[in-house]
């Protein structure tokens, strides 16, 4: 019974999302960007770190679709390879932040009382710290390992998710279906993760679509400071930084990575709006 009910809710949400043309266009655009980033380096004749000093600052042509940089490296290969890095950082760091934030917020809102007050005071204290400095400290303490970049960024992006989850949990913890679960003798962990969490999926998904571009932007700032992606590796953030420095001599160095980054940013925001409308039960069967 509950399985049928859940599947029907999911199907209704999908139908509402499919009716939103802008959200669906954004979904297909994101899929196209991900596919290009995944397959681009494999289809390109040049490696992302292959230098050719005879072709420095070559403008886009049939040989180099996006032109070359100051070391003669193919910008198409570097942009698509950078897409892998940026999307991976955005998705994995967002996943880390959601796991921390959702768990923390549910526990705080469900327990309430003094524990809730202390947990939220900790969030307030962490909010007062500059995110960049906190990430830099984590990177300095644990080293400049690229994999730790996911954890470092995710460790500072969970605070807002914790607050959102806490507020939703407080609204739901005294609902009838939660009271029924308590009356049946279910454990607190089962109530949290089998009854509360499914009802928080909507806000979680919506906020995740907003966190991914924020994480990607934070990664670009870290790359600019020399703590993110290191040469010869590339990300959209590091490529935009390099392109901005050489914009007068070679504007294509800024245009193509910036175009990919902006398209991804807009698509994620439009998809987030569509998911918000699709997952809002008040909008069903209008």
């Amino acid at each position: 019974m509950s399985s049928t009910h859940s599947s029907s809710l999911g199907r209704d949400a999908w139908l509402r999302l499919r009716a939103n043309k802008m959200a669906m266009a954004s979904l297909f655009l994101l899929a196209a960007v991900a596919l290009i980033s995944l397959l681009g380096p494999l289809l390109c004749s040049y490696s992302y770190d292959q230098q050719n000093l005879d072709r420095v600052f070559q403008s886009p042509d049939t040989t180099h679709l996006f032109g070359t940089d100051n070391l003669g490296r193919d910008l198409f290969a570097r942009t698509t390879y950078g897409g892998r890095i940026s999307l991976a950082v955005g998705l994995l760091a967002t996943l880390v932040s959601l796991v921390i934030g959702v768990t923390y917020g549910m526990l705080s809102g469900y327990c309430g009382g003094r524990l809730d007050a202390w947990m939220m005071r900790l969030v307030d204290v962490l909010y007062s710290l500059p995110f960049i400095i906190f990430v830099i400290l984590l990177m300095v303490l644990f080293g400049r390992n690229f994999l730790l970049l996911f954890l470092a960024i995710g460790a500072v992006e969970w605070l807002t998710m914790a607050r959102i989850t806490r507020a939703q949990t407080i609204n739901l913890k005294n609902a009838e279906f939660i009271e029924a679960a308590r009356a049946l003798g279910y454990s607190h962990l089962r109530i949290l993760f089998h009854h509360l969490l499914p009802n928080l999926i909507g806000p979680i998904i919506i906020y995740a679509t907003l966190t991914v571009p924020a994480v990607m932007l934070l990664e670009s700032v870290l790359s600019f400071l020399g703590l993110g992606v290191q040469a010869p590796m590339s990300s959209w953030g590091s490529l935009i930084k390099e392109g901005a420095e050489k914009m007068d001599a070679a504007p294509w160095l800024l245009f193509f990575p910036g175009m990919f980054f902006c398209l991804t940013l807009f698509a994620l925001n439009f998809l987030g709006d569509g998911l918000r409308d699709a997952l809002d039960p008040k909008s069903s069967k209008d």
Side-chain angles (χ1 to χ4, degrees):
M1 182 73 173
S2 60
S3 176
T4 304
H5 183 62
S6 300
S7 63
S8 64
L9 289 177
R11 184 173 181 275
D12 289 344
W14 166 247
L15 290 175
R16 289 194 295 272
L17 180 65
R18 196 170 64 177
N20 189 325
K21 295 181 179 180
M22 186 62 72
M24 290 304 296
S26 299
L27 181 61
F28 284 118
L29 178 59
L30 284 174
V33 170
L35 190 62
I36 292 172
S37 299
L38 181 64
L39 299 180
L42 302 177
L43 300 177
C44 186
S45 303
Y46 306 93
S47 173
Y48 72 94
D49 57 352
Q50 181 180 344
Q51 300 182 15
N52 186 348
L53 298 180
D54 293 330
R55 292 179 175 271
V56 171
F57 288 140
Q58 179 175 317
S59 59
D61 58 17
T62 54
T63 304
H64 299 280
L65 295 178
F66 290 179
T68 63
D69 63 6
N70 60 318
L71 295 176
R73 295 173 296 190
D74 184 76
L75 187 60
F76 177 78
R78 290 183 62 76
T79 300
T80 52
Y81 180 84
R84 291 181 176 183
I85 303 297
S86 294
L87 292 174
V89 170
L91 293 174
L92 294 180
T94 297
L95 180 61
V96 171
S97 70
L98 290 182
V99 170
I100 298 174
V102 170
T103 303
Y104 192 94
M106 283 200 307
L107 289 174
S108 179
Y110 185 78
C111 294
R114 290 186 177 180
L115 180 61
D116 177 38
W118 280 104
M119 292 178 74
M120 285 300 103
R121 294 301 76 75
L122 176 60
V123 170
D124 293 337
V125 170
L126 293 177
Y127 255 122
S128 66
L129 299 175
F131 280 8
I132 296 298
I133 294 178
F134 192 53
V135 172
I136 290 174
L137 287 175
L138 290 176
M139 297 294 290
V140 170
L141 287 174
F142 297 105
R144 291 165 62 177
N145 188 315
F146 175 69
L147 295 177
L148 291 176
L149 183 63
F150 303 132
L151 298 177
I153 296 178
V156 300
E157 290 289 339
W158 63 271
L159 300 175
T160 302
M161 189 70 251
R163 283 185 167 180
I164 293 173
T165 305
R166 171 184 174 268
Q168 295 293 324
T169 301
I170 291 175
N171 289 333
L172 291 173
K173 71 177 183 178
N174 293 320
E176 292 182 358
F177 69 95
I178 298 297
E179 294 292 344
R182 291 196 188 103
L184 291 172
Y186 293 160
S187 66
H188 294 303
L189 285 178
R190 178 168 181 176
I191 293 174
L192 280 172
F193 292 100
H194 288 267
H195 298 274
L196 272 174
L197 184 58
N199 289 278
L200 300 174
I201 293 298
I204 290 172
I205 293 176
I206 293 168
Y207 183 71
T209 60
L210 302 177
T211 304
V212 173
V215 166
M216 292 168 62
L217 184 60
L218 181 56
E219 178 275 325
S220 68
V221 174
L222 290 175
S223 297
F224 177 80
L225 296 175
L227 293 172
V229 176
Q230 301 298 310
M233 296 175 65
S234 64
S235 68
W236 287 338
S238 63
L239 291 175
I240 290 172
K241 179 248 182 183
E242 294 172 4
E245 294 174 348
K246 303 174 179 65
M247 182 172 58
D248 293 336
W252 57 87
L253 294 180
L254 177 63
F255 174 76
F256 289 109
M259 177 186 68
F260 271 81
F261 186 83
C262 289
L263 287 176
T264 303
L265 178 67
F266 282 118
L268 284 167
N269 279 279
F270 284 126
L271 180 59
D273 290 339
L275 287 171
R276 178 195 60 200
D277 297 335
L279 295 170
D280 182 6
K282 294 180 181 179
S283 66
S284 64
K285 299 180 181 179
D286 289 340

